[in-house]
Amino acid sequence: MAIGAHPDDVELCCGGTIAKLVRKGLRAVIVDVTQGELGTRGTREIRLREAANAAAILGCTRENLLLPDGGIEVNHANVAKLISLIRKYRPKMLLIPHWSERHPDHVHTHHLAKEAWFYSGLRKIATKNQGRAQ
């Protein structure tokens, strides 16, 4: 599982790694935290279409948390959304943004992913996937 703040962050950061892992027969999922709606280059629709095309080329699935671009908060509700995806896919590896970076969305995504990663292992935190307890 590779987690990025915006559509295209994962491809730019570790797309080659994902392609190599998929070629070796492993499953991969990209989780975009936002739709990248504040991006200077292109629209939300263009970026989402490009993201879907990139996932198809890499041979992986893709999810989006639909948090606001420029407004990623590390709070209970957002951590719970990501915990649900971690439990849904049960990844053996997490690729997340670095904690020290210029873009605040990338830093917040790091902290969100790190918290969700830890809390996803606590059974007393209940989550649901498609109406069923995880």
Side-chain angles (χ1 to χ4, degrees):
M1 177 179 279
I3 302 168
H6 314 99
D8 81 7
D9 286 353
V10 168
E11 292 86 343
L12 292 170
C13 177
C14 56
T17 300
I18 292 171
K20 186 173 184 176
L21 292 170
V22 169
R23 263 187 269 130
K24 289 185 172 217
L26 299 173
R27 291 180 308 138
V29 60
I30 295 173
V31 177
D32 300 312
V33 174
T34 75
Q35 295 179 350
E37 62 270 20
L38 295 180
T40 305
R41 296 175 195 92
T43 64
R44 172 191 322 233
E45 294 75 23
I46 290 171
R47 295 192 76 183
L48 293 177
R49 188 169 53 250
E50 290 174 346
N53 290 340
I57 290 167
L58 292 172
C60 64
T61 57
R62 193 166 207 132
E63 300 266 359
N64 197 304
L65 292 184
L66 303 174
L67 300 184
D69 195 2
I72 298 170
E73 295 181 6
V74 181
N75 59 37
H76 179 74
N78 293 342
V79 170
K81 286 180 182 183
L82 192 49
I83 288 171
S84 287
L85 286 180
I86 291 170
R87 288 177 174 174
K88 175 182 176 181
Y89 288 99
R90 304 179 60 81
K92 291 187 167 85
M93 177 190 314
L94 283 178
L95 302 172
I96 65 175
H98 196 272
W99 60 269
S100 177
E101 216 249 62
R102 181 175 171 264
H103 196 311
D105 278 354
H106 299 175
V107 174
H108 296 156
T109 297
H110 167 86
H111 292 293
L112 181 69
K114 190 172 177 186
E115 284 196 29
W117 169 40
F118 177 80
Y119 290 124
S120 68
L122 300 182
R123 288 185 212 152
K124 290 184 179 180
I125 296 178
T127 57
K128 291 185 179 185
N129 181 26
Q130 298 180 356
R132 295 190 346 232
Q134 293 178 302

